[in-house]
Amino acid sequence: MTTTTPITASSAVTAATNSTTAAQNAGLSSDFQTFLTMLTVQMQNQDPLNPIESSDYAVQLATFSGVEQQVKTNDLLQALTTQLGLNGMSELAGWVGMQARTEAPAWFDGKSPVTLSPNPVLGADQTILVVSDASGTTVARDTIPVSAEILAWDGRDGNGASLPAGLYEFTLESYSGGTLVGTNTVETYNRIVEAQGTASGPVLILEGGSAISTEAVTALREG
């Protein structure tokens, strides 16, 4: 003989509430038909001697309606974010092909000089340009004028030999009276070859493969 456990009003409410929560967590909160089916089952299995109050149904309906509205709002916000991202990408299309001034490593093609924008420490009387390759190895140390004027690096090491094509990073050591008073990254000009849209915002791809955010660009000029 099969034993059947009676379903009371309280157990029906608890079961329905738990089922509703699980449905929301599983992404079913936007399925109104599913909710109506659950509500119908709840009504069919209530205790006739202790029926569920109509106010309880109203609360469940209001709760589901609020969740459903929130899901729709989230969808609209996602669509709006996507559209804004596309608008931003269309604006960045004009940047492709231009040269961006950033602190990113610069691409040296083996022959064309790299344009640098040094920024010596105020009061320095000597500045040394330190050049490192992609592995972080120092390949050159050159004394340069104490100036913020743009200069060109010709791609040679400390012995005057031409360096191979690749990414190079530049730092500037500022000295005063023979004492090191500051070291900072030298900004370089790199050609922008691509603009990409990512979850965190637009990203610019520089020649050589470096990826930077638009906020990292301090200046633009014709390529």
Side-chain angles (χ1 to χ4, degrees), residues 170-188:
F170 305 84
T171 55
L172 189 68
E173 296 179 349
S174 297
Y175 292 84
S176 179
T179 301
L180 179 65
V181 293
T183 301
N184 61 285
T185 302
V186 176
E187 292 185 321
T188 61

Side-chain angles (χ1 to χ4, degrees), residues 54-117:
S54 58
S55 58
D56 292 334
Y57 290 123
V59 169
Q60 293 182 49
L61 286 170
T63 301
F64 181 81
S65 178
V67 172
E68 185 182 34
Q69 186 60 44
Q70 184 63 48
V71 171
K72 291 181 179 179
T73 300
N74 291 342
D75 290 342
L76 289 173
L77 288 175
Q78 182 62 40
L80 180 60
T81 299
T82 301
Q83 186 59 45
L84 289 175
L86 292 175
N87 291 339
M89 288 293 293
S90 63
E91 294 179 2
L92 290 178
W95 290 25
V96 176
M98 299 187 70
Q99 289 190 339
R101 189 179 71 190
T102 70
E103 292 185 352
W107 172 256
F108 174 58
D109 62 9
K111 53 184 179 180
S112 302
V114 175
T115 304
L116 310 179
S117 180

Side-chain angles (χ1 to χ4, degrees), residues 42-57:
Q42 179 181 338
M43 295 175 65
Q44 292 174 342
N45 292 278
Q46 63 179 320
D47 185 354
L49 300 178
N50 186 22
I52 301 173
E53 296 291 337
S54 58
S55 58
D56 292 334
Y57 290 123

Side-chain angles (χ1 to χ4, degrees), residues 111-135:
K111 53 184 179 180
S112 302
V114 175
T115 304
L116 310 179
S117 180
N119 186 24
V121 174
L122 184 65
D125 54 26
Q126 181 186 18
T127 48
I128 295 179
L129 178 68
V130 181
V131 185
S132 303
D133 61 18
S135 66

Side-chain angles (χ1 to χ4, degrees), residues 104-109 114 131-137 139 153 163-170 188 190 206-211:
W107 172 256
F108 174 58
D109 62 9
V114 175
V131 185
S132 303
D133 61 18
S135 66
T137 302
V139 295
W153 177 68
L163 290 166
L167 287 171
Y168 292 89
E169 189 171 4
F170 305 84
T188 61
N190 292 275
L206 306 178
E207 190 172 16
S210 296

